Amino acid sequence: MSLVIVGSLAFDTIETPYGRREKIVGGSGTYCALAASFFTQPKIVGVVGEDFPEGILEFFKNKKIDIRGIEVRPGKTFYWEARYGDDPNQRSTLRTEPNVFENFRPQLPSDYKKADIVFLANIDPDLQDDILVQFQNPKLVAMDTINFWINTKPEALLQVMEKVNLYFGNEEEIRLLTEEKNLIKAGRKILERGPFLVVIKKGEHGALVLEKDSVFGVLAHPCEEVHDPTGAGDSFAGGFLGYLDKTKAFDAEREIRRAAVYGSVLASFVIEDFGIERFKSLSPQEIERRFERFKKLVSF
Ligand code: AMP
């Protein structure tokens, strides 16, 4: 089993119609690793400041997440602030402070370099590129990003995209990146640039998994109370890649479809509470039950 996740570890301040939380733990790497930990033993690469809670690092270890790739640096942890309105698919980013992420250039532990699956979660695309060259022979490389990087570093982002096999993006990001309104056409544009698989996340409406000759649609679990949509995309990727790492089927269509359903299941749990709170009580049995319910949801 070897999945390495490169991403942010953060403090987030989040406001949704269900309330406001100040400086709670978040980050793309955090959500993804926690979701993946239900299937495999992910390794995480990132950086935190001295203000990052020791208890969370302990929590990662208890979840069998390998944290040797997390550097603790003098300074403050990455900080992000966002607000959601009544539509959970729409959010406004109010503030982004890179802090210790500025000038972060990690040297990976040697066993990390042998990873089968590498996930470049949402971080600076220059950093994604720098880190990717350190891996020896990954079988599957996936990436994700966010509007912030599409707007500020589009060239760097396109360069990374050419080197990956799987691209995760939400509808808004994919439209922005390709300047194409129709999602299927937009997805195809991305396929032309390198990846063999594009996953278009559609928030509470599920996701589309696009390959050259096929499109697979996965529903989102019908959730009546979305307390905090933050991290849904990263948790989707974590469930998806964690499952693929467990099965070692990196490009089999059947497993990719199941992976997408597990991704959707993990995302549906994380949004039930603020931040990473729901991961603290989530059990493998709950995941399996929701996976089975999913099958009923789509059979007719
Ligand atoms: P998601 O809701 O899946 O898009 O992910 C949200 C997470 O991404 C939050 O916990 C943030 O801390 C993190 N995040 C937001 N903006 C950035 C950024 N520019 N670079 C890295 N991580 C970010």
Side-chain angles (χ1 to χ4, degrees):
M1 289 198 283
S2 60
L3 163 64
V4 172
I5 295 160
V6 186
S8 58
L9 296 108
F11 283 128
D12 295 341
T13 292
I14 312 281
E15 201 177 311
T16 80
Y18 286 86
R20 180 180 165 89
R21 298 289 184 279
E22 307 251 352
K23 276 191 82 179
I24 54 174
V25 170
S28 55
T30 302
Y31 283 106
C32 184
L34 284 170
S37 73
F38 287 92
F39 304 93
T40 184
Q41 295 179 4
K43 298 172 165 52
I44 184 166
V45 178
V47 62
V48 294
E50 282 160 335
D51 53 355
F52 197 75
E54 186 63 36
I56 296 293
L57 297 177
E58 275 307 307
F59 175 52
F60 287 164
K61 279 201 233 165
N62 292 339
K63 289 273 174 196
K64 304 262 186 304
I65 298 170
D66 185 336
I67 61 165
R68 286 172 301 139
I70 299 180
E71 210 178 294
V72 183
R73 277 182 147 194
K76 288 204 293 188
T77 297
F78 179 95
Y79 177 74
W80 182 71
E81 215 174 301
R83 184 187 299 134
Y84 298 83
D86 288 332
D87 177 354
N89 292 347
Q90 297 285 327
R91 79 173 163 211
S92 318
T93 291
L94 307 176
R95 205 158 160 175
T96 301
E97 288 176 14
N99 298 330
V100 288
F101 255 101
E102 215 122 40
N103 309 317
F104 172 57
R105 292 288 177 270
Q107 283 306 313
L108 303 183
S110 60
D111 54 322
Y112 277 46
K113 296 180 184 171
K114 299 187 184 112
D116 285 332
I117 303 184
V118 177
F119 181 48
L120 305 168
N122 161 32
I123 45 165
D124 184 331
D126 283 326
L127 184 55
Q128 289 178 321
D129 207 24
D130 261 24
I131 297 176
L132 185 54
V133 295
Q134 294 189 43
F135 290 94
Q136 286 165 1
N137 191 18
K139 297 189 171 63
L140 186 78
V141 180
M143 75 176 288
D144 193 355
T145 193
I146 198 168
N147 284 359
F148 180 79
W149 301 117
I150 301 174
N151 287 321
T152 55
K153 293 195 169 181
E155 306 282 302
L157 192 65
L158 290 172
Q159 248 180 43
V160 187
M161 189 195 280
E162 282 168 12
K163 299 175 192 164
V164 309
N165 313 110
L166 165 49
Y167 185 88
F168 288 97
N170 69 31
E171 336 179 43
E172 193 190 351
E173 291 155 5
I174 283 187
R175 287 196 176 107
L176 182 67
L177 186 67
T178 59
E179 297 176 347
E180 170 61 61
K181 284 202 185 68
N182 180 280
L183 281 181
I184 304 294
K185 284 189 188 162
R188 296 217 182 286
K189 274 193 175 177
I190 294 180
L191 288 174
E192 280 163 17
R193 294 199 81 112
F196 78 89
L197 199 65
V198 177
V199 177
I200 307 176
K201 295 168 291 180
K202 291 156 62 69
E204 61 176 345
H205 305 302
L208 288 174
V209 181
L210 214 74
E211 286 183 77
K212 194 163 155 269
D213 303 312
S214 75
V215 184
F216 173 62
V218 54
L219 279 183
H221 183 265
C223 191
E224 290 189 21
E225 293 196 348
V226 180
H227 284 230
D228 173 13
T230 310
D234 305 311
S235 304
F236 184 103
F240 188 105
L241 296 172
Y243 176 77
L244 286 186
D245 192 43
K246 180 178 151 191
T247 55
K248 294 280 167 232
F250 306 114
D251 53 9
E253 191 170 326
R254 174 177 183 272
E255 296 303 351
I256 283 174
R257 290 181 175 206
R258 290 171 74 86
V261 174
Y262 275 115
S264 191
V265 167
L266 266 297
S268 74
F269 280 115
V270 77
I271 61 180
E272 289 177 353
D273 204 342
F274 277 85
I276 58 170
E277 224 32 54
R278 188 63 178 89
F279 282 129
K280 295 183 182 166
S281 59
L282 185 61
S283 69
Q285 292 75 14
E286 283 177 285
I287 294 175
E288 281 313 309
R289 274 201 297 275
R290 201 166 276 189
F291 182 86
E292 289 306 317
R293 240 189 285 146
F294 238 90
K295 283 190 191 159
K296 292 205 182 100
L297 199 68
V298 294
S299 77
F300 61 90

